[in-house]
Amino acid sequence: MITLKSPREIREMERSGAILAGMHLGLRKIIKPGISSWEIEKFARKFFKEHDAIPEQIGFEGYKYATCVSVNDEICHGFPRKDLILKDGDLVKVDTVVNYHGAMSDSCWSYAVGKVTPEIERLMKVTKEALYLGIDQAQVGNRIGDIGAAIQHYTEEVNDYGDVREFIGHGIGPTMHESPNVPHYGQAGKGLRLRPGMTITIEPMINTGTWKAVMDDPNGWTARTADGGFSCQYEHTLVITTAGPKILTSQDPEQDKKYLLD
């Protein structure tokens, strides 16, 4: 079922999103060569506790962690691990969901560890640009397919990357995953029409090679690129309004000025 949020609910989700964005901003200071990916998990748990928020992923379908920490060829749902030491040149994706007094927010961000190759720099740049191209299509009266078509065209046709099909965006609030599904591929003019008050995530996962994923990790969760190439992801939670899409998980008020609630 799709729920249209009231102004009060949207403001509560904005508060939740600000906590999540703050956690991501804090990670910029700690992610560096030599730390374990478990340090990311510890930081997130501590940050959320200090801000009276709940890491909603813990316990979701048996998942045990506050964060997903996916490295290099891991597309998503990587476990934070004490024995995984980050090294210079790694590409790390950190995804988490915050529950602040019942209001949900969901955001993934990618981080370069130390000095990365030009290949990874370009992948990160294109993936973030694709996210915002998708957000720009999240207009009242547009359709879900308009979001996916914009992302797919830019990543696959313009930049010759792989646009992951197996994992997609979704509605959010008051639960973590709700209707509608929000694919990052598709056909313009097709799919559900967007309405004011809808809250969704847009979260493209873009690979240097094939779009195909493999799910053969013994943990039963982690997805990797089928060809071993790098994968990158950026994700925002946003609300559809008559004044355009408004990002609820912004980390940069200056850059995102036109996307912020008044």
Side-chain angles (χ1 to χ4, degrees):
M1 183 177 70
I2 297 172
T3 60
L4 301 180
K5 309 305 185 297
S6 68
R8 178 188 61 81
E9 290 172 313
I10 293 166
R11 287 298 182 184
E12 289 174 349
M13 290 181 70
E14 184 184 32
R15 295 186 187 100
S16 175
I19 294 171
L20 180 44
M23 190 280 298
H24 276 301
L25 289 170
L27 287 181
R28 298 182 188 188
K29 300 175 183 178
I30 74 163
I31 292 180
K32 58 186 177 181
I35 73 162
S36 73
S37 67
W38 184 253
E39 292 300 313
I40 295 171
E41 173 77 3
K42 285 173 56 180
F43 177 87
R45 290 193 187 213
K46 182 173 183 288
F47 190 93
F48 296 149
K49 184 176 182 180
E50 290 173 346
H51 289 80
D52 195 27
I54 297 169
E56 189 70 11
Q57 290 181 169
I58 296 177
F60 177 75
E61 296 183 355
Y63 194 76
K64 298 179 181 180
Y65 309 105
T67 62
C68 296
V69 183
S70 307
V71 181
N72 296 338
D73 68 327
E74 295 173 342
I75 297 171
C76 60
H77 304 155
F79 286 10
R81 288 149 280 180
K82 295 178 181 179
D83 60 352
L84 176 57
I85 307 301
L86 301 182
K87 63 184 186 301
D88 197 58
D90 282 342
L91 173 58
V92 179
K93 291 79 67 178
V94 181
D95 190 4
T96 189
V97 180
V98 166
N99 179 339
Y100 180 68
H101 299 182
M104 300 289 177
S105 59
D106 186 358
S107 180
C108 179
W109 217 249
S110 291
Y111 301 87
V113 181
K115 183 172 177 57
V116 297
T117 64
E119 175 189 39
I120 292 178
E121 288 181 344
R122 179 173 177 265
L123 175 65
M124 294 175 73
K125 178 177 181 290
V126 168
T127 305
K128 186 185 289 186
E129 289 170 346
L131 167 64
Y132 279 85
L133 287 172
I135 291 172
D136 284 338
Q137 292 299 314
Q139 307 282 346
V140 171
N142 276 5
R143 295 184 180 273
I144 291 287
D146 296 321
I147 297 171
I151 292 170
Q152 184 177 18
H153 171 73
Y154 187 65
T155 55
E156 293 195 340
E157 297 177 30
V158 176
N159 287 284
D160 198 29
Y161 285 143
D163 181 3
V164 173
R165 312 284 201 272
E166 290 91 342
F167 305 96
I168 58 178
H170 51 86
I172 183 170
T175 57
M176 186 188 305
H177 291 153
E178 298 184 353
S179 296
N181 290 332
V182 185
H184 307 108
Y185 58 92
Q187 188 174 348
K190 300 293 185 180
L192 181 78
R193 197 176 294 279
L194 300 173
R195 296 173 58 190
M198 292 173 62
T199 48
I200 63 173
T201 72
I202 299 178
E203 47 185 296
M205 303 171 203
I206 307 302
N207 303 339
T208 52
T210 179
W211 58 264
K212 295 180 180 179
V214 292
M215 287 285 299
D216 57 2
D217 194 288
N219 68 27
W221 282 87
T222 306
R224 290 183 168 81
T225 58
D227 59 3
F230 284 92
S231 185
C232 186
Q233 182 187 7
Y234 289 97
E235 173 189 13
H236 275 313
T237 296
L238 57 138
V239 58
I240 311 301
T241 81
T242 54
K246 300 300 180 181
I247 295 172
L248 303 178
T249 50
S250 172
Q251 299 177 33
D252 190 336
E254 187 60 34
Q255 175 186 306
D256 292 339
K257 187 176 181 179
K258 75 172 185 176
Y259 300 106
L260 300 182
L261 291 167
D262 295 329

Short mmCIF file of all heavy atoms in Angstrom, two decimals, residues 19-28 30-31 35-58 63-69 80 93-99 107 111:
data_model
loop_
_atom_site.label_atom_id
_atom_site.label_comp_id
_atom_site.label_asym_id
_atom_site.label_seq_id
_atom_site.Cartn_x
_atom_site.Cartn_y
_atom_site.Cartn_z
N ILE A 19 19.54 13.28 11.04
CA ILE A 19 20.39 12.42 11.87
C ILE A 19 21.20 11.48 11.00
O ILE A 19 22.42 11.31 11.18
CB ILE A 19 19.54 11.64 12.88
CG1 ILE A 19 18.90 12.60 13.88
CG2 ILE A 19 20.38 10.58 13.60
CD1 ILE A 19 17.86 11.95 14.78
N LEU A 20 20.55 10.88 10.03
CA LEU A 20 21.24 9.96 9.13
C LEU A 20 22.32 10.68 8.33
O LEU A 20 23.45 10.18 8.19
CB LEU A 20 20.22 9.29 8.19
CG LEU A 20 20.72 8.29 7.16
CD1 LEU A 20 21.73 7.32 7.75
CD2 LEU A 20 19.55 7.54 6.57
N ALA A 21 22.01 11.86 7.84
CA ALA A 21 23.00 12.65 7.10
C ALA A 21 24.18 13.00 8.00
O ALA A 21 25.35 12.96 7.57
CB ALA A 21 22.36 13.91 6.53
N GLY A 22 23.91 13.34 9.24
CA GLY A 22 24.98 13.66 10.17
C GLY A 22 25.91 12.49 10.41
O GLY A 22 27.13 12.66 10.55
N MET A 23 25.33 11.29 10.48
CA MET A 23 26.16 10.10 10.63
C MET A 23 27.09 9.94 9.44
O MET A 23 28.30 9.68 9.59
CB MET A 23 25.27 8.86 10.79
CG MET A 23 26.02 7.59 11.18
SD MET A 23 26.86 6.73 9.81
CE MET A 23 25.47 6.29 8.75
N HIS A 24 26.56 10.12 8.23
CA HIS A 24 27.39 10.01 7.03
C HIS A 24 28.50 11.07 7.02
O HIS A 24 29.64 10.78 6.65
CB HIS A 24 26.53 10.13 5.78
CG HIS A 24 25.88 8.84 5.36
ND1 HIS A 24 26.61 7.71 5.05
CD2 HIS A 24 24.58 8.50 5.19
CE1 HIS A 24 25.78 6.73 4.71
NE2 HIS A 24 24.55 7.19 4.79
N LEU A 25 28.17 12.28 7.41
CA LEU A 25 29.19 13.32 7.46
C LEU A 25 30.30 12.94 8.44
O LEU A 25 31.48 13.18 8.19
CB LEU A 25 28.56 14.65 7.85
CG LEU A 25 27.67 15.29 6.79
CD1 LEU A 25 26.91 16.48 7.38
CD2 LEU A 25 28.49 15.75 5.58
N GLY A 26 29.92 12.32 9.54
CA GLY A 26 30.91 11.89 10.51
C GLY A 26 31.82 10.80 9.98
O GLY A 26 33.02 10.74 10.33
N LEU A 27 31.28 9.94 9.13
CA LEU A 27 32.10 8.86 8.57
C LEU A 27 33.24 9.39 7.71
O LEU A 27 34.27 8.73 7.58
CB LEU A 27 31.23 7.91 7.74
CG LEU A 27 30.29 6.98 8.51
CD1 LEU A 27 29.52 6.10 7.53
CD2 LEU A 27 31.06 6.11 9.50
N ARG A 28 33.07 10.56 7.14
CA ARG A 28 34.13 11.12 6.30
C ARG A 28 35.42 11.30 7.09
O ARG A 28 36.51 11.29 6.52
CB ARG A 28 33.68 12.47 5.72
CG ARG A 28 32.45 12.37 4.83
CD ARG A 28 32.09 13.73 4.24
NE ARG A 28 30.82 13.68 3.53
CZ ARG A 28 30.32 14.67 2.80
NH1 ARG A 28 31.02 15.81 2.71
NH2 ARG A 28 29.17 14.56 2.19
N ILE A 30 36.41 9.31 9.66
CA ILE A 30 37.01 8.08 10.20
C ILE A 30 37.38 7.06 9.14
O ILE A 30 38.19 6.17 9.41
CB ILE A 30 36.09 7.43 11.25
CG1 ILE A 30 34.88 6.76 10.61
CG2 ILE A 30 35.66 8.43 12.32
CD1 ILE A 30 34.18 5.79 11.51
N ILE A 31 36.78 7.14 7.95
CA ILE A 31 37.09 6.14 6.92
C ILE A 31 38.44 6.46 6.30
O ILE A 31 38.61 7.49 5.65
CB ILE A 31 35.98 6.09 5.85
CG1 ILE A 31 34.69 5.53 6.46
CG2 ILE A 31 36.41 5.25 4.66
CD1 ILE A 31 33.53 5.44 5.50
N ILE A 35 41.63 1.04 9.03
CA ILE A 35 40.55 0.73 9.96
C ILE A 35 39.79 -0.50 9.44
O ILE A 35 39.80 -0.81 8.25
CB ILE A 35 39.58 1.90 10.16
CG1 ILE A 35 38.68 2.11 8.92
CG2 ILE A 35 40.31 3.17 10.54
CD1 ILE A 35 37.44 2.94 9.20
N SER A 36 39.13 -1.19 10.35
CA SER A 36 38.28 -2.30 9.94
C SER A 36 36.90 -1.76 9.59
O SER A 36 36.49 -0.69 10.08
CB SER A 36 38.16 -3.33 11.05
OG SER A 36 37.33 -2.84 12.10
N SER A 37 36.17 -2.49 8.78
CA SER A 37 34.81 -2.03 8.45
C SER A 37 33.91 -2.09 9.67
O SER A 37 32.85 -1.45 9.70
CB SER A 37 34.23 -2.83 7.29
OG SER A 37 34.00 -4.17 7.64
N TRP A 38 34.32 -2.83 10.71
CA TRP A 38 33.55 -2.87 11.95
C TRP A 38 33.57 -1.51 12.65
O TRP A 38 32.62 -1.17 13.37
CB TRP A 38 34.09 -3.94 12.88
CG TRP A 38 33.27 -4.09 14.13
CD1 TRP A 38 33.59 -3.71 15.39
CD2 TRP A 38 31.95 -4.65 14.22
NE1 TRP A 38 32.57 -3.98 16.27
CE2 TRP A 38 31.55 -4.57 15.59
CE3 TRP A 38 31.06 -5.21 13.28
CZ2 TRP A 38 30.31 -5.02 16.01
CZ3 TRP A 38 29.83 -5.66 13.74
CH2 TRP A 38 29.47 -5.56 15.07
N GLU A 39 34.63 -0.72 12.46
CA GLU A 39 34.68 0.61 13.05
C GLU A 39 33.56 1.49 12.52
O GLU A 39 33.07 2.38 13.23
CB GLU A 39 36.04 1.26 12.79
CG GLU A 39 37.21 0.59 13.49
CD GLU A 39 37.05 0.59 15.00
OE1 GLU A 39 36.71 1.65 15.56
OE2 GLU A 39 37.26 -0.48 15.61
N ILE A 40 33.14 1.27 11.30
CA ILE A 40 32.01 2.02 10.72
C ILE A 40 30.73 1.66 11.46
O ILE A 40 29.93 2.53 11.82
CB ILE A 40 31.90 1.72 9.21
CG1 ILE A 40 33.12 2.26 8.48
CG2 ILE A 40 30.60 2.28 8.64
CD1 ILE A 40 33.22 1.83 7.03
N GLU A 41 30.53 0.37 11.70
CA GLU A 41 29.36 -0.09 12.45
C GLU A 41 29.34 0.50 13.86
O GLU A 41 28.30 0.99 14.32
CB GLU A 41 29.38 -1.62 12.52
CG GLU A 41 28.31 -2.25 13.40
CD GLU A 41 26.93 -2.28 12.79
OE1 GLU A 41 26.77 -1.87 11.62
OE2 GLU A 41 25.98 -2.72 13.48
N LYS A 42 30.47 0.48 14.54
CA LYS A 42 30.55 1.02 15.90
C LYS A 42 30.22 2.51 15.91
O LYS A 42 29.49 2.99 16.78
CB LYS A 42 31.95 0.79 16.47
CG LYS A 42 32.24 -0.63 16.89
CD LYS A 42 33.71 -0.80 17.29
CE LYS A 42 34.16 0.13 18.37
NZ LYS A 42 35.59 -0.07 18.74
N PHE A 43 30.76 3.23 14.95
CA PHE A 43 30.51 4.68 14.88
C PHE A 43 29.02 4.94 14.68
O PHE A 43 28.44 5.82 15.34
CB PHE A 43 31.32 5.30 13.75
CG PHE A 43 31.06 6.77 13.58
CD1 PHE A 43 31.78 7.71 14.31
CD2 PHE A 43 30.09 7.23 12.69
CE1 PHE A 43 31.52 9.08 14.18
CE2 PHE A 43 29.83 8.58 12.54
CZ PHE A 43 30.55 9.51 13.28
N ALA A 44 28.39 4.20 13.74
CA ALA A 44 26.98 4.42 13.45
C ALA A 44 26.11 4.14 14.67
O ALA A 44 25.21 4.93 15.01
CB ALA A 44 26.55 3.56 12.28
N ARG A 45 26.36 3.03 15.33
CA ARG A 45 25.55 2.69 16.51
C ARG A 45 25.67 3.77 17.59
O ARG A 45 24.67 4.16 18.19
CB ARG A 45 25.99 1.34 17.07
CG ARG A 45 25.63 0.16 16.19
CD ARG A 45 25.82 -1.14 16.93
NE ARG A 45 25.65 -2.30 16.07
CZ ARG A 45 25.15 -3.46 16.49
NH1 ARG A 45 24.79 -3.60 17.75
NH2 ARG A 45 25.04 -4.48 15.66
N LYS A 46 26.89 4.22 17.83
CA LYS A 46 27.11 5.24 18.85
C LYS A 46 26.43 6.55 18.47
O LYS A 46 25.78 7.20 19.29
CB LYS A 46 28.61 5.46 19.05
CG LYS A 46 29.00 6.46 20.13
CD LYS A 46 30.52 6.46 20.33
CE LYS A 46 30.93 7.39 21.46
NZ LYS A 46 30.77 8.81 21.09
N PHE A 47 26.55 6.94 17.20
CA PHE A 47 25.96 8.20 16.73
C PHE A 47 24.45 8.16 16.88
O PHE A 47 23.84 9.13 17.38
CB PHE A 47 26.35 8.43 15.28
CG PHE A 47 25.99 9.80 14.76
CD1 PHE A 47 26.90 10.83 14.81
CD2 PHE A 47 24.73 10.06 14.24
CE1 PHE A 47 26.57 12.11 14.35
CE2 PHE A 47 24.38 11.31 13.77
CZ PHE A 47 25.32 12.34 13.83
N PHE A 48 23.83 7.08 16.47
CA PHE A 48 22.38 6.99 16.55
C PHE A 48 21.90 7.00 18.01
O PHE A 48 20.91 7.66 18.35
CB PHE A 48 21.87 5.74 15.84
CG PHE A 48 22.12 5.74 14.35
CD1 PHE A 48 22.34 4.56 13.68
CD2 PHE A 48 22.15 6.92 13.64
CE1 PHE A 48 22.58 4.55 12.31
CE2 PHE A 48 22.40 6.93 12.27
CZ PHE A 48 22.60 5.74 11.61
N LYS A 49 22.61 6.29 18.87
CA LYS A 49 22.23 6.27 20.28
C LYS A 49 22.30 7.67 20.88
O LYS A 49 21.42 8.09 21.63
CB LYS A 49 23.13 5.31 21.05
CG LYS A 49 22.75 5.16 22.52
CD LYS A 49 23.63 4.13 23.22
CE LYS A 49 23.21 3.95 24.67
NZ LYS A 49 24.07 2.94 25.36
N GLU A 50 23.35 8.41 20.53
CA GLU A 50 23.52 9.76 21.05
C GLU A 50 22.44 10.72 20.54
O GLU A 50 22.20 11.76 21.16
CB GLU A 50 24.90 10.30 20.67
CG GLU A 50 26.06 9.61 21.39
CD GLU A 50 27.41 10.03 20.87
OE1 GLU A 50 27.48 10.65 19.79
OE2 GLU A 50 28.41 9.71 21.54
N HIS A 51 21.82 10.37 19.43
CA HIS A 51 20.78 11.23 18.85
C HIS A 51 19.38 10.64 19.02
O HIS A 51 18.44 11.04 18.31
CB HIS A 51 21.09 11.48 17.36
CG HIS A 51 22.28 12.38 17.16
ND1 HIS A 51 23.57 11.90 17.23
CD2 HIS A 51 22.37 13.71 16.90
CE1 HIS A 51 24.41 12.91 17.02
NE2 HIS A 51 23.70 14.01 16.82
N ASP A 52 19.25 9.71 19.97
CA ASP A 52 17.95 9.15 20.34
C ASP A 52 17.25 8.50 19.15
O ASP A 52 16.03 8.59 18.98
CB ASP A 52 17.06 10.25 20.94
CG ASP A 52 15.85 9.69 21.67
OD1 ASP A 52 15.92 8.55 22.15
OD2 ASP A 52 14.82 10.40 21.74
N ALA A 53 18.03 7.87 18.29
CA ALA A 53 17.49 7.21 17.09
C ALA A 53 17.79 5.72 17.13
O ALA A 53 18.73 5.26 17.81
CB ALA A 53 18.08 7.83 15.84
N ILE A 54 17.01 4.97 16.39
CA ILE A 54 17.13 3.51 16.35
C ILE A 54 17.65 3.08 14.98
O ILE A 54 17.11 3.51 13.95
CB ILE A 54 15.77 2.85 16.61
CG1 ILE A 54 15.26 3.19 18.01
CG2 ILE A 54 15.86 1.33 16.42
CD1 ILE A 54 13.82 2.79 18.24
N PRO A 55 18.69 2.24 14.93
CA PRO A 55 19.12 1.66 13.65
C PRO A 55 18.14 0.57 13.23
O PRO A 55 18.14 -0.54 13.76
CB PRO A 55 20.51 1.09 13.96
CG PRO A 55 20.51 0.86 15.43
CD PRO A 55 19.57 1.85 16.04
N GLU A 56 17.28 0.90 12.29
CA GLU A 56 16.13 0.07 11.95
C GLU A 56 16.51 -1.25 11.30
O GLU A 56 15.72 -2.21 11.31
CB GLU A 56 15.18 0.86 11.05
CG GLU A 56 13.84 0.20 10.81
CD GLU A 56 12.93 0.18 12.03
OE1 GLU A 56 13.24 0.85 13.04
OE2 GLU A 56 11.89 -0.51 11.96
N GLN A 57 17.71 -1.33 10.72
CA GLN A 57 18.08 -2.56 10.00
C GLN A 57 18.29 -3.73 10.95
O GLN A 57 18.14 -4.89 10.54
CB GLN A 57 19.36 -2.33 9.18
CG GLN A 57 19.14 -1.43 8.00
CD GLN A 57 20.40 -1.23 7.17
OE1 GLN A 57 20.33 -0.70 6.08
NE2 GLN A 57 21.57 -1.63 7.66
N ILE A 58 18.67 -3.46 12.20
CA ILE A 58 18.94 -4.55 13.13
C ILE A 58 17.66 -5.35 13.37
O ILE A 58 16.64 -4.80 13.80
CB ILE A 58 19.50 -4.02 14.47
CG1 ILE A 58 20.84 -3.34 14.26
CG2 ILE A 58 19.64 -5.17 15.47
CD1 ILE A 58 21.44 -2.74 15.51
N TYR A 63 18.66 -9.70 9.88
CA TYR A 63 19.92 -8.97 9.73
C TYR A 63 20.37 -8.47 11.10
O TYR A 63 19.57 -8.00 11.90
CB TYR A 63 19.74 -7.79 8.76
CG TYR A 63 21.03 -7.18 8.30
CD1 TYR A 63 21.81 -7.83 7.34
CD2 TYR A 63 21.50 -5.99 8.82
CE1 TYR A 63 23.01 -7.28 6.91
CE2 TYR A 63 22.70 -5.43 8.39
CZ TYR A 63 23.45 -6.09 7.43
OH TYR A 63 24.64 -5.55 7.02
N LYS A 64 21.69 -8.53 11.36
CA LYS A 64 22.20 -8.30 12.71
C LYS A 64 22.87 -6.95 12.92
O LYS A 64 23.27 -6.63 14.04
CB LYS A 64 23.21 -9.40 13.07
CG LYS A 64 22.63 -10.80 13.07
CD LYS A 64 23.71 -11.82 13.41
CE LYS A 64 23.15 -13.24 13.41
NZ LYS A 64 24.21 -14.25 13.73
N TYR A 65 23.00 -6.13 11.88
CA TYR A 65 23.85 -4.95 11.98
C TYR A 65 23.08 -3.66 11.70
O TYR A 65 22.07 -3.66 11.00
CB TYR A 65 25.03 -5.09 11.00
CG TYR A 65 25.75 -6.40 11.15
CD1 TYR A 65 25.58 -7.42 10.20
CD2 TYR A 65 26.57 -6.66 12.24
CE1 TYR A 65 26.22 -8.64 10.34
CE2 TYR A 65 27.21 -7.88 12.39
CZ TYR A 65 27.03 -8.86 11.44
OH TYR A 65 27.66 -10.08 11.58
N ALA A 66 23.62 -2.57 12.22
CA ALA A 66 23.03 -1.25 11.98
C ALA A 66 23.32 -0.77 10.57
O ALA A 66 22.56 0.04 10.03
CB ALA A 66 23.58 -0.25 13.00
N THR A 67 24.42 -1.22 10.00
CA THR A 67 24.85 -0.77 8.68
C THR A 67 25.06 -1.94 7.74
O THR A 67 25.30 -3.07 8.17
CB THR A 67 26.17 0.02 8.77
OG1 THR A 67 27.20 -0.84 9.28
CG2 THR A 67 26.03 1.24 9.66
N CYS A 68 25.00 -1.64 6.45
CA CYS A 68 25.57 -2.51 5.42
C CYS A 68 26.84 -1.81 4.95
O CYS A 68 26.80 -0.62 4.59
CB CYS A 68 24.62 -2.68 4.25
SG CYS A 68 23.07 -3.52 4.65
N VAL A 69 27.96 -2.52 4.99
CA VAL A 69 29.24 -1.96 4.57
C VAL A 69 29.77 -2.84 3.44
O VAL A 69 30.23 -3.95 3.67
CB VAL A 69 30.25 -1.89 5.73
CG1 VAL A 69 31.54 -1.23 5.26
CG2 VAL A 69 29.67 -1.13 6.92
N PRO A 80 29.41 -5.52 8.07
CA PRO A 80 30.58 -4.92 8.71
C PRO A 80 31.39 -6.02 9.40
O PRO A 80 30.80 -6.87 10.08
CB PRO A 80 29.97 -3.94 9.73
CG PRO A 80 28.58 -4.43 9.96
CD PRO A 80 28.15 -5.12 8.71
N LYS A 93 30.81 1.44 0.38
CA LYS A 93 29.44 1.93 0.40
C LYS A 93 28.83 1.63 1.78
O LYS A 93 28.89 0.48 2.24
CB LYS A 93 28.58 1.25 -0.66
CG LYS A 93 28.93 1.63 -2.10
CD LYS A 93 30.15 0.92 -2.66
CE LYS A 93 29.92 -0.56 -2.83
NZ LYS A 93 31.10 -1.25 -3.44
N VAL A 94 28.24 2.64 2.41
CA VAL A 94 27.63 2.47 3.73
C VAL A 94 26.16 2.83 3.62
O VAL A 94 25.80 3.96 3.29
CB VAL A 94 28.32 3.35 4.79
CG1 VAL A 94 27.67 3.12 6.15
CG2 VAL A 94 29.82 3.06 4.84
N ASP A 95 25.30 1.85 3.92
CA ASP A 95 23.86 2.00 3.78
C ASP A 95 23.21 1.72 5.13
O ASP A 95 23.57 0.75 5.81
CB ASP A 95 23.35 1.00 2.73
CG ASP A 95 21.90 1.24 2.34
OD1 ASP A 95 21.30 2.22 2.81
OD2 ASP A 95 21.37 0.42 1.56
N THR A 96 22.26 2.55 5.53
CA THR A 96 21.57 2.32 6.79
C THR A 96 20.22 3.01 6.80
O THR A 96 19.97 3.92 6.00
CB THR A 96 22.43 2.79 7.98
OG1 THR A 96 21.82 2.37 9.20
CG2 THR A 96 22.59 4.29 8.00
N VAL A 97 19.36 2.56 7.70
CA VAL A 97 18.02 3.12 7.87
C VAL A 97 17.86 3.56 9.32
O VAL A 97 18.20 2.82 10.24
CB VAL A 97 16.93 2.08 7.51
CG1 VAL A 97 15.53 2.68 7.71
CG2 VAL A 97 17.11 1.58 6.10
N VAL A 98 17.34 4.77 9.51
CA VAL A 98 17.17 5.34 10.84
C VAL A 98 15.69 5.48 11.17
O VAL A 98 14.89 5.91 10.33
CB VAL A 98 17.87 6.73 10.93
CG1 VAL A 98 17.41 7.48 12.18
CG2 VAL A 98 19.37 6.56 10.96
N ASN A 99 15.35 5.10 12.38
CA ASN A 99 14.01 5.30 12.93
C ASN A 99 14.13 6.32 14.05
O ASN A 99 14.72 6.05 15.10
CB ASN A 99 13.46 3.98 13.46
CG ASN A 99 12.08 4.10 14.08
OD1 ASN A 99 11.64 5.17 14.47
ND2 ASN A 99 11.39 2.96 14.18
N SER A 107 19.51 6.05 3.60
CA SER A 107 20.51 6.68 2.73
C SER A 107 21.76 5.82 2.68
O SER A 107 22.22 5.31 3.70
CB SER A 107 20.86 8.08 3.22
OG SER A 107 21.83 8.69 2.39
N TYR A 111 32.32 6.08 -0.29
CA TYR A 111 33.51 6.73 0.25
C TYR A 111 34.76 6.15 -0.41
O TYR A 111 34.91 4.93 -0.51
CB TYR A 111 33.61 6.50 1.76
CG TYR A 111 32.42 7.04 2.52
CD1 TYR A 111 31.29 6.25 2.71
CD2 TYR A 111 32.42 8.32 3.03
CE1 TYR A 111 30.18 6.73 3.40
CE2 TYR A 111 31.32 8.82 3.72
CZ TYR A 111 30.21 8.02 3.90
OH TYR A 111 29.13 8.50 4.58
#
